Amino acid sequence: MPAKLTRAALDRILAEEAPFADMHGFVVEEIGEATARCRLPYSDVSIRPGGTISGPAMFALADFTLWIAVMARIGPVPLAVTTDMTIHFLTKPGKGDDLIGQARLLKNGRRLCVGEVTIFGASDPAETPVAHVTGTYSIPPDPSR
Amino acid sequence: MPAKLTRAALDRILAEEAPFADMHGFVVEEIGEATARCRLPYSDVSIRPGGTISGPAMFALADFTLWIAVMARIGPVPLAVTTDMTIHFLTKPGKGDDLIGQARLLKNGRRLCVGEVTIFGASDPAETPVAHVTGTYSIPPDPSR
Amino acid sequence: MPAKLTRAALDRILAEEAPFADMHGFVVEEIGEATARCRLPYSDVSIRPGGTISGPAMFALADFTLWIAVMARIGPVPLAVTTDMTIHFLTKPGKGDDLIGQARLLKNGRRLCVGEVTIFGASDPAETPVAHVTGTYSIPPDPSR
Amino acid sequence: MPAKLTRAALDRILAEEAPFADMHGFVVEEIGEATARCRLPYSDVSIRPGGTISGPAMFALADFTLWIAVMARIGPVPLAVTTDMTIHFLTKPGKGDDLIGQARLLKNGRRLCVGEVTIFGASDPAETPVAHVTGTYSIPPDPSR
């Protein structure tokens, strides 16, 4: 856990600011300097016909994972907001498989953070990307920074 | 209702292929030659702290509305799949407001359809965009076309 | 010409800050409240095999046209910088045809402006889009605004 | 040099199909299985005020590098066309510095190839990204594949 975001601060933010995290069942598996790895468990709320996780659920995972990576880098700023996201759907995920989002920041600016997220199947040892996302978070002004 | 997609065909597709439409409560309000207008009702499953509809729920609305616009143009092809989507979040929607997605196709190719979706608050008479989306659908090969 | 950007101010900015405009031969044809219409003349520096204007030249036109639309709305701020651009190439432009970029702002924020640009052939009466672009400009802080 | 694209085939394609490569001065520095590394030399045609390479020139570099990576993977298919590109500008490149584009494919489909390109300054030992691009190439049908 990096210095900027303690597990306690993260847990408090998730409880107070991110009810959607609970709804989807997102799990924060790992946080680094400017990275995050989160899991979207396979569940009935996010599947599409054929038994794979839907595109919008992948988008939700990417958005969440990038938000965690931003806070890993700049500290607990729950009010950071997404300004743009581009997602490419690459291949269908495995039937019944959980998904993993692996995010890293590409830019850590005073006003904007940009990052990318690769999504792959949790049980795929090759970590073949099923979707790829780039996006921007706008950071609220903070006189103390 | 355009010739290519009858209400009966649409209802059958929604029932069989789009359980997520039901989960979100999407309503297809209007279909034109290469356009569609759909509603995302405000509900507990899609809100974020502050009482507005979340970004991922807007993405889901845009993806759904563009899919309907594609089928309005080329007929019932439920297996068309999203290949890329870019969303810009523009302003916060109104508290408690339903959202409307208004889609139109920009390109109607044999293999790829590209379109844009503007999202605004259902009770905003000025239809100020709260999000804007562009995206591509890949159309499965069809020997009969 | 809107109040925020006089023709004299525009000409000065183009001369001092936009040597690339001259290189490409961009012409500002029309400016509105939050819109701009610019022309990219067909020329040897921007064509690809087959005699049509290249994708990167279309990108340059879109970037330029959106920048003009931003200044049409907020006044002469040449230091506004592009943060993201998404382009969809829709159809090949006509052989030997100039291109027109038509831009309009979707969001006019204190820090970020978002807009879209439609590109079509100058001699196409139907204005069929050959490319579509969305993008964001970051506006430098200005104590006087 | 991977089996799918010999140096001779590449040189022939660049000479016949890519006059823009010559105009920009692009240099193909390295090709791998599904990767490519290309250089955009600093030159008067691509700079902006302040003496750094312009955004549209970075876009051109990314588009070119991804095209080379696609051909590295599937062989000499010069008619592959870009369908979408998303670029995030991250930080200003160094004054007078050449730029390097490093591309890799994320998906190698029968109809669509998706990849990403990271751009950084040629003289920056840390390879700090100055721009990041994702994009799609549409592959023309080939009965022999």
Side-chain angles (χ1 to χ4, degrees), chain C:
Chain C
M1 187 78 33
K4 293 290 186 104
L5 185 66
T6 63
R7 172 56 70 169
L10 174 62
D11 286 346
R12 188 185 49 71
I13 286 171
L14 293 182
E16 291 172 16
E17 314 277 351
F20 51 89
D22 211 49
M23 186 189 78
H24 284 285
F26 292 141
V27 179
V28 179
E29 298 208 327
E30 214 178 284
I31 308 183
E33 270 312 312
T35 61
R37 183 181 179 104
C38 301
R39 174 183 294 252
L40 169 57
Y42 182 84
S43 89
D44 288 353
V45 302
S46 55
I47 62 168
R48 39 168 288 165
T52 61
I53 290 181
S54 75
M58 290 187 213
F59 179 89
L61 172 63
D63 192 24
F64 177 76
T65 308
L66 192 50
W67 180 58
I68 300 293
V70 166
M71 291 192 296
R73 183 66 186 79
I74 68 173
V77 184
L79 293 182
V81 293
T82 316
T83 58
D84 70 83
M85 294 277 276
T86 293
I87 187 164
H88 283 87
F89 296 102
L90 304 170
T91 188
K92 215 189 280 196
K95 215 171 155 172
D97 204 2
D98 292 0
L99 293 183
I100 302 293
Q102 177 70 50
R104 70 186 179 102
L105 292 195
L106 298 165
K107 174 202 172 96
N108 168 35
R110 206 167 43 81
R111 303 163 103 204
L112 297 177
C113 287
V114 180
E116 69 172 335
V117 187
T118 304
I119 296 177
F120 50 87
S123 68
D124 172 15
E127 303 197 350
T128 316
V130 301
H132 181 273
V133 174
T134 49
T136 307
Y137 266 81
S138 177
I139 312 302
D142 176 358
S144 75
R145 271 193 316 227

Side-chain angles (χ1 to χ4, degrees), chain A residues 57-103:
Chain A
M58 289 186 215
F59 180 90
L61 171 64
D63 192 25
F64 178 77
T65 308
L66 192 50
W67 180 57
I68 300 292
V70 167
M71 291 192 296
R73 184 65 186 77
I74 69 173
V77 184
L79 293 182
V81 292
T82 316
T83 59
D84 70 83
M85 295 276 276
T86 293
I87 187 164
H88 283 87
F89 296 102
L90 304 170
T91 189
K92 213 188 282 195
K95 214 172 156 171
D97 203 3
D98 292 0
L99 292 184
I100 302 293
Q102 177 70 50

Side-chain angles (χ1 to χ4, degrees), chain B:
Chain B
M1 188 78 33
K4 293 290 187 103
L5 186 66
T6 63
R7 172 57 69 170
L10 175 61
D11 286 346
R12 187 185 51 71
I13 286 170
L14 293 182
E16 291 173 15
E17 313 278 352
F20 51 88
D22 212 51
M23 186 188 78
H24 284 287
F26 293 141
V27 179
V28 179
E29 298 208 327
E30 215 177 283
I31 308 183
E33 270 311 310
T35 62
R37 184 181 178 103
C38 301
R39 174 182 293 252
L40 170 57
Y42 182 85
S43 88
D44 288 353
V45 302
S46 56
I47 62 169
R48 37 167 288 165
T52 60
I53 290 181
S54 74
M58 289 186 214
F59 179 89
L61 172 63
D63 192 24
F64 178 76
T65 308
L66 192 49
W67 180 59
I68 300 293
V70 167
M71 292 192 295
R73 184 65 186 76
I74 68 172
V77 184
L79 293 182
V81 294
T82 315
T83 59
D84 69 84
M85 295 277 277
T86 293
I87 188 164
H88 283 87
F89 296 102
L90 304 170
T91 187
K92 214 188 281 195
K95 214 173 157 171
D97 203 3
D98 292 0
L99 292 184
I100 302 293
Q102 177 70 50
R104 71 185 179 102
L105 292 196
L106 298 165
K107 174 204 173 93
N108 167 36
R110 206 165 43 80
R111 302 163 104 205
L112 297 176
C113 287
V114 179
E116 69 172 336
V117 188
T118 304
I119 296 178
F120 49 86
S123 67
D124 172 14
E127 302 197 351
T128 315
V130 301
H132 181 272
V133 174
T134 49
T136 306
Y137 266 82
S138 177
I139 313 302
D142 175 358
S144 74
R145 271 194 314 230

